[in-house]
Amino acid sequence: MSGEEIQSLRAEALFVSDLQRSDPLSPDDVRRTVSENVRRYGLRGLAARVAEEYGDHPETAVGRMCWCLCAVEEAYAA
């Protein structure tokens, strides 16, 4: 799996979480949530949940994914 694929997977794991961009989040919070959701849903399960959310909430999904990509990049930068 390439670095970009790993970052995408992490963003998907954050996307399906209950965390919101308005929440005060530390990098540890993001990493912990990503780990929990990867274990909980697996690769295919994450993709299915993301697709479901895009179908249910297309008006907010793109903005949320952009936030997730940025949050993951910051949390795993070190």
Side-chain angles (χ1 to χ4, degrees):
M1 199 175 264
S2 73
E4 285 183 19
E5 291 171 323
I6 292 170
Q7 287 296 84
S8 294
L9 172 68
R10 289 171 174 163
E12 288 178 1
L14 183 59
F15 184 91
V16 302
S17 75
D18 292 332
L19 297 180
Q20 299 297 315
R21 82 175 73 183
S22 59
D23 293 339
L25 300 175
S26 70
D28 286 339
D29 294 329
V30 171
R31 290 189 296 265
R32 181 175 43 257
T33 298
V34 166
S35 293
E36 289 171 359
N37 282 340
V38 168
R39 278 192 304 274
R40 179 178 298 139
Y41 299 112
L43 300 178
R44 289 185 183 173
L46 285 172
R49 295 283 316 257
V50 169
E52 181 181 347
E53 286 299 316
Y54 265 83
D56 291 347
H57 307 286
E59 69 284 355
T60 59
V62 172
R64 180 164 175 81
M65 184 55 80
C66 289
W67 168 73
C68 291
L69 287 164
C70 290
V72 163
E73 185 177 331
E74 289 177 18
Y76 290 90

